[in-house]
Amino acid sequence: MIRPMMGRRTKPKKFEIPLRYYDPEEEEKRKKRIQIKTRSLSRRQREKSQNVRILVYAVGLAAVIFLMYIL
């Protein structure tokens, strides 16, 4: 059913956004927490753990290839 254009039209729904205020102190606290979490593992330790992981994968792959060669 087609409604006539002269009738009452529906209005779009209105919404309200809750206001959020910038708090510089809270922002500094958040940045410090993030820095502490990322600083817990130094770059050298992360690189060492990545190298060990790559070595484990290489040994595992070599073992799979060796088993396939034997069978």
Side-chain angles (χ1 to χ4, degrees):
M1 308 240 167
I2 299 176
R3 291 179 138 176
M5 297 297 277
M6 302 300 259
R8 184 176 170 188
R9 293 188 176 189
T10 59
K11 294 182 180 177
K13 290 184 178 181
K14 294 182 179 179
F15 63 95
E16 292 182 19
I17 299 174
L19 297 176
R20 296 182 181 185
Y21 298 100
Y22 176 74
D23 187 10
E25 292 176 5
E26 189 67 33
E27 186 71 19
E28 287 298 319
K29 288 179 186 177
R30 188 181 67 80
K31 284 183 181 179
K32 285 181 183 178
R33 276 185 281 156
I34 291 172
Q35 286 177 352
I36 290 172
K37 287 181 182 178
T38 56
R39 206 181 320 156
S40 63
L41 282 177
S42 69
R43 183 177 180 187
R44 182 131 172 109
Q45 288 175 335
R46 280 182 274 157
E47 287 177 357
K48 186 177 179 181
S49 66
Q50 288 175 351
N51 291 340
V52 170
R53 187 179 305 144
I54 291 172
L55 182 64
V56 168
Y57 288 149
V59 169
L61 183 61
V64 168
I65 292 173
F66 179 72
L67 289 175
M68 287 174 53
Y69 179 72
I70 290 176
L71 299 176

